[in-house]
Amino acid sequence: MSTKLSLILGLIFFTVTLFSGDCRTLSERHEHNSSSLYGFSFQDSMHVSSSTSNDCGFSSTEHVPAKDHTRESVKLQIKQESKRTTHSVVDLKIQDLTRIQTLHARARKAKNHHQRHKKEITSGVSPVGAPEAEASPGKLVATLESGMTLGSGEYFMDVLVGTPPKHFSLILDTGSDLNWLQCLPCHDCFHQHGPFYDPKTSYSFKNITCKDPRCSLITSPDPSVPCESSNQSCPYFYWYGDRSNTTGDFAVETFTVNLTTTEGGSSEYKVEDMMFGCGHWNRGLFSGASGLLGLGRGPLSFSSQLQSLYGHSFSYCLVDRNSDTNVSSKLIFGEDKDLLNNPNLNFTSFVRGKETSLETFYYLQIKSILVNGQALDIPEETWSISSDGVGGTIIDSGTTLSYFAEPAYKIIKNKITEVVKEKYHVFEDFPILDPCFNVSGVEESNMELPELGIAFADGAVWNFPAENVFIWLSEEVVCLAILGTPKSTMSIIGNYQQQNFHILYDTKRSRLGFAPTKCADI
């Protein structure tokens, strides 16, 4: 089974169970020796803790971290047949299911703890670097790795943490704020590739105390721990949805990244006092990563903390998922003049959610969907954020495919079917990925498939080529790479549709830029 087919089967599963099941049920299934899911049988490949949670949200210490957590990552070549590929399907199914539930659930709860703490931030809290410091004349450039080799639809960034610096692989996530690592002692942790971070081996690690103003930026465990002394650490609890969460000590550390200067030179650049979570209790499916790098709009994210050094923008360019493993995507902090001078660069404005919406997300205002340039008749309220803060559309690096709320999805798939079935027969053996078409005997270069576009309320249009709209199940079958969510829930532009676009997040001007680019050439 190829890696591409594994991805498809994973996507099929979480679509079926997205709003009818609970990933807790899936986890319970993994406590057995094998899993049988919708007609596909897989051997268990991951350990899921059977420990229970107490009233504080901490898991009992009966769970012992996997003994092989220090082993190096085993990488697979694209399309290499392996039992590991089958295992990755199971992980991807549960991971993506949890991801979608996470975004919706967090949006619904946004007006609670996070909003209260936002109002409590004092003037004593500042981002990394001196408040008076001007932006660095250079730009920070990081290399991203596709999670396909690890059975994940996400992208990973290699980061040097601590003094002396050590390598850790973190998931890139524009849908959350907190940066965190699994830390020793790890009382309840998931398997990761490579050793856990050990704060005792780094002399630049410092705990943030519970009396420090920065402690107000993070959500505390429930029930909260009384702050009784000036040297007591600041405990945190960050919830992603259902059973995905991290709990530990809020701290600061030195992160080392590559700096590219305006003259074209490069060097390592140390970012001191980066706020992050040192997680001792971590639950969820993070595909072997050491933790997560948040790029959301909130004050704790990696991008927000670096604003005094590089300014208010960052960008990334995601290469084709089927590219060779030696071809990498790029994440760039700071002004990229080549991108700004690109004649194909377009902008659309970020929109603020309601007062009850989560400040983390990058919301966009869709007006309509285009198929081969023709606007579809989709009710305007489909794209609106409701009075209680749910709905709307976000762009997200951590979700694989794109999801459109009903009735938009039904209208889109009906139009796609109408256009494509004139040339290719509808393939009905995979009804969840809908529609699919039999394209046997047709060379991919000669295939005629429609393009899809997103028209935004401010007049901008984002046109996607067919390879970003359709996904190949095999050489004979191609399917629409868009799925649906229930009416009045959030729509998401996922990273599959973002491939080979250089995407700019400009928070100072509150806008998103996008330009078609061969990302392997950056």
Side-chain angles (χ1 to χ4, degrees):
M1 181 184 294
S2 70
T3 302
K4 185 184 294 185
L5 181 56
S6 297
L7 173 62
I8 296 301
L9 297 180
L11 295 172
I12 290 171
F13 172 81
F14 80 79
T15 306
V16 173
T17 56
L18 179 58
F19 294 97
S20 60
D22 190 315
C23 58
R24 183 179 297 108
T25 303
L26 297 176
S27 296
E28 289 167 355
R29 293 182 186 180
H30 280 270
E31 293 173 3
H32 303 288
N33 292 329
S34 64
S35 298
S36 181
L37 305 172
Y38 290 92
F40 298 95
S41 297
F42 306 98
Q43 292 301 310
D44 240 352
S45 63
M46 56 173 285
H47 178 82
V48 177
S49 170
S50 59
S51 62
T52 57
S53 299
N54 61 27
D55 293 337
C56 296
F58 297 84
S59 300
S60 67
T61 56
E62 294 176 0
H63 173 79
V64 179
K67 294 181 180 179
D68 61 349
H69 67 260
T70 58
R71 70 185 182 189
E72 293 297 318
S73 170
V74 179
K75 298 184 183 295
L76 297 176
Q77 296 298 319
I78 298 296
K79 297 185 179 179
Q80 176 184 356
E81 291 189 359
S82 168
K83 290 182 180 179
R84 174 70 179 278
T85 306
T86 305
H87 293 164
S88 298
V89 177
V90 182
D91 295 348
L92 182 62
K93 289 177 178 180
I94 305 174
Q95 170 196 320
D96 283 342
L97 166 63
T98 302
R99 175 73 182 179
I100 303 299
Q101 290 179 328
T102 291
L103 298 177
H104 290 293
R106 288 176 61 214
R108 291 189 182 98
K109 290 184 175 292
K111 59 184 177 182
N112 295 326
H113 206 99
H114 283 294
Q115 290 288 42
R116 292 199 302 270
H117 279 269
K118 178 183 176 183
K119 297 175 182 178
E120 295 170 5
I121 296 174
T122 68
S123 59
V125 177
S126 62
V128 171
E132 299 82 8
E134 294 183 359
S136 168
K139 57 185 180 182
L140 307 179
V141 181
T143 298
L144 303 179
E145 179 185 1
S146 170
M148 286 288 289
T149 55
L150 299 175
S152 169
E154 297 169 317
Y155 287 82
F156 294 74
M157 175 176 167
D158 194 41
V159 180
L160 288 165
V161 180
T163 308
K166 295 181 179 179
H167 285 270
F168 296 94
S169 183
L170 305 181
I171 293 173
L172 189 74
D173 188 12
T174 58
S176 65
D177 295 321
L178 180 67
N179 313 301
W180 60 269
L181 290 164
Q182 296 202 106
C183 291
L184 294 176
C186 240
H187 302 301
D188 190 0
C189 293
F190 53 84
H191 168 77
Q192 72 176 50
H193 298 286
F196 294 131
Y197 168 78
D198 186 354
K200 292 182 179 179
T201 64
S202 172
Y203 63 78
S204 54
F205 171 87
K206 292 177 288 186
N207 264 322
I208 292 175
T209 68
C210 59
K211 292 186 180 296
D212 190 307
R214 292 172 294 185
C215 192
S216 66
L217 292 170
I218 195 70
T219 307
S220 61
D222 187 16
S224 59
V225 179
C227 184
E228 298 176 344
S229 65
S230 58
N231 61 352
Q232 182 178 328
S233 64
C234 172
Y236 77 87
F237 172 75
Y238 200 89
W239 177 74
Y240 290 94
D242 194 52
R243 297 177 72 175
S244 295
N245 55 69
T246 175
T247 304
D249 296 317
F250 198 34
V252 294
E253 181 57 286
T254 296
F255 282 55
T256 303
V257 292
N258 291 323
L259 172 65
T260 301
T261 65
T262 53
E263 291 77 22
S266 64
S267 62
E268 289 188 342
Y269 188 80
K270 294 184 182 298
V271 182
E272 298 178 349
D273 294 330
M274 174 69 65
M275 292 180 285
F276 82 112
C278 188
H280 304 298
W281 293 265
N282 311 294
R283 292 190 139 193
L285 292 165
F286 297 99
S287 302
S290 304
L292 191 143
L293 193 78
L295 293 177
R297 300 186 73 166
L300 292 179
S301 73
F302 192 76
S303 52
S304 293
Q305 290 190 63
L306 288 180
Q307 284 181 358
S308 63
L309 298 175
Y310 72 86
H312 295 259
S313 65
F314 69 91
S315 64
Y316 56 71
C317 204
L318 306 178
V319 298
D320 188 318
R321 290 180 180 278
N322 292 325
S323 298
D324 293 336
T325 53
N326 62 343
V327 178
S328 59
S329 303
K330 296 296 190 295
L331 171 65
I332 302 169
F333 294 94
E335 186 176 273
D336 189 320
K337 292 183 178 179
D338 290 337
L339 174 58
L340 293 176
N341 292 330
N342 188 325
N344 296 316
L345 178 64
N346 289 295
F347 289 99
T348 187
S349 299
F350 291 129
V351 294
R352 285 290 181 184
K354 305 292 184 182
E355 185 64 27
T356 53
S357 299
L358 192 64
E359 66 172 347
T360 298
F361 297 148
Y362 294 95
Y363 284 97
L364 303 170
Q365 186 59 59
I366 292 179
K367 179 181 180 181
S368 184
I369 300 296
L370 312 175
V371 174
N372 278 344
Q374 179 183 349
L376 305 184
D377 187 14
I378 298 172
E380 185 178 341
E381 60 269 18
T382 305
W383 313 112
S384 301
I385 302 174
S386 65
S387 58
D388 58 354
V390 299
T393 303
I394 66 168
I395 181 169
D396 181 39
S397 68
T399 302
T400 306
L401 301 186
S402 290
Y403 296 79
F404 292 127
E406 295 291 4
Y409 169 64
K410 183 177 181 180
I411 295 171
I412 293 168
K413 74 174 184 178
N414 287 346
K415 183 62 177 180
I416 292 289
T417 302
E418 175 189 327
V419 172
V420 181
K421 73 178 182 180
E422 295 180 358
K423 298 182 180 296
Y424 311 114
H425 293 295
V426 175
F427 183 83
E428 298 180 347
D429 286 0
F430 281 84
I432 304 304
L433 285 177
D434 185 21
C436 293
F437 304 95
N438 187 332
V439 292
S440 58
V442 182
E443 293 290 334
E444 188 171 328
S445 59
N446 296 327
M447 205 170 294
E448 296 182 43
L449 294 170
E451 294 185 350
L452 184 138
I454 298 177
F456 296 99
D458 57 9
V461 177
W462 190 350
N463 289 311
F464 302 94
E467 56 264 31
N468 289 38
V469 180
F470 294 89
I471 193 164
W472 273 254
L473 188 65
S474 69
E475 292 181 358
E476 293 79 26
V477 179
V478 63
C479 301
L480 180 65
I482 295 171
L483 297 169
T485 58
K487 186 178 181 179
S488 301
T489 54
M490 184 182 291
S491 295
I492 304 167
I493 301 174
N495 62 47
Y496 190 86
Q497 278 64 43
Q498 298 175 44
Q499 293 174 104
N500 282 320
F501 280 92
H502 198 161
I503 299 174
L504 170 66
Y505 293 74
D506 184 347
T507 56
K508 185 174 183 178
R509 297 175 179 84
S510 192
R511 61 182 184 171
L512 179 82
F514 46 91
T517 306
K518 189 175 181 180
C519 293
D521 293 341
I522 293 182

